[in-house]
């Protein structure tokens, strides 16, 4: 194992900074949001976010063994150090990379604050002043619950009209792009395992898409997500049926492991096909991009390896004239990190927002204004990622049984 400890120390005094602590908090939103805080001896704190779910806090805690005392400005060296030090833990993929992604974002936040620059400037500069957002929607009638959040009634939730009603509601909020889930319980009939869709299931999906498109018209961008459920032949049949609706994309039609199968589906239809959210590091996406096995790449920066790794993926996508639309189910912290990517990547298209039902989503930040305004987020000019947590709200919504910062 290489010894990375304290190898790099020669730098100007103003940038001679050390990591003193790393901690996590799990906030229970519509998902379990893994927030990360890195503290330094300069009194500057960075915040980041790793993809949702279990195991991340424990892995972040482990990194303290070799990151404490390091200079947080060496963002890429420390990211690579995590991968190397934890390679025996499956560190080249999976949850280790997820944990490293959130740490990397927090390191960028510190670097921006130390250098008094927004992160997008550190990533190479700005292509746009605002980032367009698409809203991930859920069909059904919304209703308020006691904790102030929103849930959706199950009754008639999956009728074409329920989808159309929700689409109208979201468009009226100012969004010009939206996405729905298209995988349904009826897809498991008559067999829940083989991934084949019946004619009735495909027709029901076509009716949903038709109803939404009829309601919102052609000027609103519209996508649907299938969550890796189908066989190649069923994916092709569904994509063919939806060709007349000029979708923004059809997402994750088949399981993610087989790149040749993904390429087969993508090249079989003129419906744009998107995938990439559960791939790790540039190595797991390069083949797909160079083979044109995807029309729109959707890596998740909080999974794939962080901001710089997403930019490496975007570079390869740009070589092949493929747009990037990051997957994002984060709190405002990870969302704003993605906004900086949206500013810095030339082939960036739009960014996912997946927390419409979380009424207190904006409250997590110490700011007065909502982040999303008329379907866009302004690229911030403040140092770092440009937002700070309201730790009282973090405490209020902490996952039961976990500690906070």
């Amino acid at each position: 194992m290489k010894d990375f400890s304290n190898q790099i120390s020669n730098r100007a005094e103003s940038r001679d900074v050390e990591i003193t602590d790393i901690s996590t908090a799990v906030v229970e939103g519509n998902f379990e949001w893994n927030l990360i805080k890195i503290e330094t001896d300069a009194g500057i704190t960075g915040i980041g976010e790793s993809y949702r779910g279990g195991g991340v806090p424990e892995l972040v805690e482990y990194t303290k063994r070799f990151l404490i005392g390091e200079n947080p400005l060496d963002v890429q060296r420390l990211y690579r150090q995590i991968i190397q030090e934890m390679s025996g833990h499956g560190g080249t993929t999976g949850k280790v990379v997820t944990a490293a992604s959130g740490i990397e974002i927090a390191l960028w936040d510190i670097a921006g604050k130390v250098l008094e620059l927004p992160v997008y400037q550190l990533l190479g500069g700005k292509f746009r002043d605002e980032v367009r957002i698409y809203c991930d929607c859920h069909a059904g009638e919304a209703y308020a619950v006691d904790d102030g959040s929103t849930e959706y009634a199950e009754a008639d939730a999956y009728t074409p009209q329920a989808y159309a009603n929700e689409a109208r509601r979201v468009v009226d909020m100012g969004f010009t792009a939206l996405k729905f889930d298209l995988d349904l319980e009826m897809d498991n009939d008559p067999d829940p395992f083989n991934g084949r869709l019946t004619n009735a299931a495909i027709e029901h999906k076509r009716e949903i898409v038709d109803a939404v498109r009829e309601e919102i018209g052609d000027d609103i961008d519209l996508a649907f997500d299938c969550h890796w459920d189908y066989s190649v032949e069923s994916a092709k049949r569904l994509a063919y049926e939806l060709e007349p609706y000029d979708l923004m994309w059809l997402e994750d039609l088949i399981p993610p492991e087989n790149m040749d199968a993904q390429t087969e589906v993508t090249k079989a239809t003129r419906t744009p096909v998107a995938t990439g959210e559960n791939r790790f590091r540039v190595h797991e996406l390069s083949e797909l991009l160079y083979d044109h096995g995807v029309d729109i790449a959707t890596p998740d920066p909080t999974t794939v390896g962080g901001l710089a790794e997403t930019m490496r993926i975007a570079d390869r996508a740009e070589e092949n004239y493929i747009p990037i639309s990051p997957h994002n189910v984060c709190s405002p912290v990870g969302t704003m990190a993605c906004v900086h990517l949206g500013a810095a990547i030339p082939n960036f298209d739009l960014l996912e927002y997946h927390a419409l039902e979380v009424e207190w989503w904006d409250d997590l930040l110490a700011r007065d204004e909502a982040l999303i305004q008329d379907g866009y987020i302004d690229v911030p000019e403040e140092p770092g990622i440009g937002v700070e947590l309201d730790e009282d709200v973090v405490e209020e919504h902490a996952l039961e049984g976990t500690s906070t910062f």
Side-chain angles (χ1 to χ4, degrees):
M1 180 74 70
K2 295 179 182 178
D3 180 12
F4 287 94
S5 60
N6 298 315
Q7 291 184 18
I8 311 297
S9 59
N10 186 20
R11 72 190 76 226
E13 183 178 350
S14 62
R15 291 181 282 111
D16 186 12
V17 184
E18 288 188 5
I19 295 172
T20 58
D21 197 17
I22 306 172
S23 56
T24 60
V26 182
V27 173
E28 193 168 18
N30 53 335
F31 300 108
E32 294 174 12
W33 296 325
N34 289 305
L35 304 182
I36 295 168
K37 178 193 283 188
I38 300 180
E39 297 174 65
T40 70
D41 63 354
I44 293 173
T45 297
I47 55 173
E49 182 168 359
S50 292
Y51 186 71
R52 67 185 180 91
V56 169
E58 292 82 1
L59 290 167
V60 172
E61 178 69 19
Y62 187 91
T63 68
K64 291 168 65 173
R65 301 185 186 194
F66 51 86
L67 291 184
I68 299 297
E70 289 283 2
N71 192 307
L73 299 183
D74 293 337
V75 179
Q76 281 301 280
R77 180 174 67 83
L78 297 188
Y79 166 72
R80 290 168 181 262
Q81 184 172 345
I82 296 170
I83 301 302
Q84 176 68 22
E85 291 275 4
M86 301 180 71
S87 59
H89 305 250
T92 60
T93 189
K95 285 284 188 178
V96 171
V97 178
T98 297
S101 300
I103 292 171
E104 192 251 22
I105 291 168
L107 292 173
W108 282 118
D109 190 35
I110 292 172
K113 290 171 180 175
V114 169
L115 301 173
E116 299 184 347
L117 290 170
V119 166
Y120 79 77
Q121 199 74 67
L122 303 180
L123 297 177
K126 185 192 284 188
F127 285 90
R128 50 194 65 84
D129 289 324
E130 57 184 5
V131 167
R132 187 171 172 230
I133 304 298
Y134 77 84
C135 186
D136 195 305
C137 312
H138 299 278
E141 297 302 321
Y143 62 95
V145 292
D146 289 342
D147 65 1
S149 64
T150 303
E151 292 186 0
Y152 290 81
E154 288 297 320
D156 299 322
Y158 302 119
T159 65
Q161 189 58 52
Y163 280 78
N165 292 345
E166 181 66 357
R168 170 50 56 196
R169 185 175 80 92
V170 172
V171 168
D172 288 346
M173 293 177 181
F175 290 96
T176 60
L178 57 154
K179 183 176 79 176
F180 284 96
D181 296 344
L182 201 55
D183 50 317
L184 302 171
E185 189 65 31
M186 69 181 297
D187 298 345
N188 295 320
D189 184 33
D191 190 303
F193 304 110
N194 63 20
R196 295 207 68 192
L197 289 170
T198 64
N199 291 341
I202 289 179
E203 174 59 17
H204 184 65
K205 295 179 194 305
R206 188 202 64 78
E207 290 172 355
I208 288 171
V209 175
D210 184 77
V212 174
R213 181 57 85 197
E214 179 69 23
E215 177 64 36
I216 63 176
D218 294 328
D219 291 336
I220 300 296
D221 285 319
L222 177 62
F224 287 90
D225 194 340
C226 299
H227 293 107
W228 318 283
D229 277 356
Y230 308 133
S231 62
V232 167
E233 55 78 31
S234 287
K236 289 180 179 180
R237 288 164 57 218
L238 176 60
Y240 294 159
E241 286 296 317
L242 300 184
E243 285 182 356
Y245 297 100
D246 294 325
L247 297 183
M248 184 165 64
W249 66 69
L250 197 55
E251 184 172 340
D252 292 336
L253 282 156
I254 64 171
E257 297 86 359
N258 189 321
M259 298 300 101
D260 289 337
Q262 179 65 54
T263 301
E264 172 72 16
V265 171
T266 299
K267 293 186 175 180
T269 176
R270 72 174 183 85
T271 297
V273 173
T275 196
E277 71 184 65
N278 49 13
R279 302 280 84 200
F280 297 92
R281 304 174 70 205
V282 68
H283 310 76
E284 293 192 10
L285 281 143
S286 292
E287 177 186 346
L288 198 64
L289 296 168
Y290 285 121
D291 289 346
H292 287 269
V294 62
D295 296 308
I296 296 93
T298 59
D300 189 314
T302 64
T303 295
V304 79
L307 305 187
E309 193 76 3
T310 306
M311 291 195 71
R312 294 176 69 198
I313 294 163
D315 286 344
R316 286 154 177 77
E318 187 186 15
E319 289 178 27
N320 293 283
Y321 315 115
I322 295 170
I324 293 279
S325 284
H327 178 260
N328 172 48
V329 296
C330 286
S331 79
V333 175
T335 299
M336 189 56 87
C338 290
V339 167
H340 286 273
L341 280 175
I345 292 173
N347 51 326
F348 185 93
D349 190 12
L350 68 175
L351 175 66
E352 181 172 15
Y353 165 62
H354 201 304
L356 188 64
E357 65 270 36
V358 182
E359 303 281 341
W360 48 269
W361 190 77
D362 280 298
D363 297 341
L364 202 59
L365 301 181
R367 57 182 281 144
D368 297 327
E369 286 187 310
L371 274 186
I372 303 173
Q373 302 283 345
D374 295 323
Y376 286 81
I377 296 179
D378 288 337
V379 177
E381 284 300 309
E382 294 84 359
I385 64 172
V387 294
E388 297 295 337
L389 287 168
D390 185 327
E391 296 201 13
D392 290 337
V393 179
V394 172
E395 184 77 32
E396 180 183 354
H397 295 284
L399 180 68
E400 186 175 354
T402 65
S403 59
T404 60
F405 302 128

